[in-house]
Amino acid sequence: RRGVEAGPVAIVGAGPTGIACAIELGRRGVAAVRYERGSILDSIQHFPEEMRFFSTRDLLDIAGVPFTTPDAHPSRLEALAYYRGVAERFGVRVVPETTVQRVTPRPGGGLTVLTRGRLGPASIDAQAAILATGFFHNPLRLRVSGDDLPHVHARYVSGFPFHDRDVVVVGGKNSAAEAALDLYRHG
């Protein structure tokens, strides 16, 4: 927008998409600050510890930086190291432990971003906002009778407790495929 004299672009989320957006904005000379309710790559930190990505490394790389690992399907730890390294290489700025509570338009242009962090609430002026929050921390529930029973899990953590047991994985996207493969590998 013409005439907008606001702060940097606010990026909500410090995962791979937030990192990639910040890098691309930086290449175009646009300052960006990422706000993350946890720490950098918080969602990937909470993935199952022994998880391997269903996607291949060439589909996971960002910013033109090759994702080099000996296996075609990177592990969680390899992904954490890769994305953190890319963020460091490009000087991506992250404000950790800060929840974006609201983004509202300002009269005359730009946005006001209301946050709450370790030091309390804050109001930040921004040119624009990018929501790169992902969905890992918001699992979809079945919303059917019994989906709250103790043996029904909305989030997969490990295949170890299910060894030599029959298991049903409900879903058809990456998380379900990764859980099914991991369960198979753990017997």
Side-chain angles (χ1 to χ4, degrees):
R1 289 175 133 170
R2 278 176 76 167
V4 175
E5 295 294 328
V9 171
I11 300 174
V12 184
T17 301
I19 293 169
C21 289
I23 292 167
E24 187 58 34
L25 287 168
R27 288 176 172 162
R28 295 167 187 248
V30 178
V33 179
R34 293 182 315 137
Y35 298 94
E36 172 57 52
R37 68 179 170 186
S39 60
I40 187 169
L41 302 164
D42 196 63
S43 288
I44 296 176
Q45 288 181 50
H46 289 94
F47 280 5
E49 288 188 4
E50 294 188 28
M51 189 198 92
R52 289 209 164 269
F53 281 83
F54 185 68
S55 298
T56 56
R57 62 182 175 247
D58 57 317
L59 296 174
L60 295 170
D61 64 17
I62 59 173
V65 177
F67 194 144
T68 56
T69 180
D71 195 357
H73 299 275
S75 71
R76 171 187 155 274
L77 288 175
E78 289 168 332
L80 285 169
Y82 168 76
Y83 291 121
R84 185 184 61 226
V86 172
E88 289 173 354
R89 177 178 175 177
F90 288 93
V92 175
R93 187 173 152 208
V94 178
V95 180
E97 298 177 28
T98 302
T99 301
V100 172
Q101 297 180 311
R102 180 176 295 199
V103 178
T104 55
R106 285 194 344 248
L111 303 169
T112 298
V113 179
L114 300 175
T115 66
R116 182 172 231 12
R118 291 178 288 179
L119 302 176
S123 177
I124 296 107
D125 291 337
Q127 297 175 41
I130 296 172
L131 304 180
T133 57
F135 52 86
F136 184 74
H137 287 297
N138 301 309
L140 296 176
R141 302 292 309 192
L142 294 174
R143 295 187 184 173
V144 297
S145 178
D147 81 339
D148 58 347
L149 293 173
H151 64 279
V152 177
H153 305 276
R155 185 170 169 187
Y156 181 74
V157 176
S158 172
F160 285 103
F162 305 104
H163 176 76
D164 202 26
R165 293 172 62 191
D166 291 331
V167 177
V168 174
V169 176
V170 178
K173 294 195 176 180
N174 283 0
S175 295
E178 289 165 1
L181 287 169
D182 194 52
L183 286 161
Y184 172 76
R185 290 179 189 123
H186 284 92

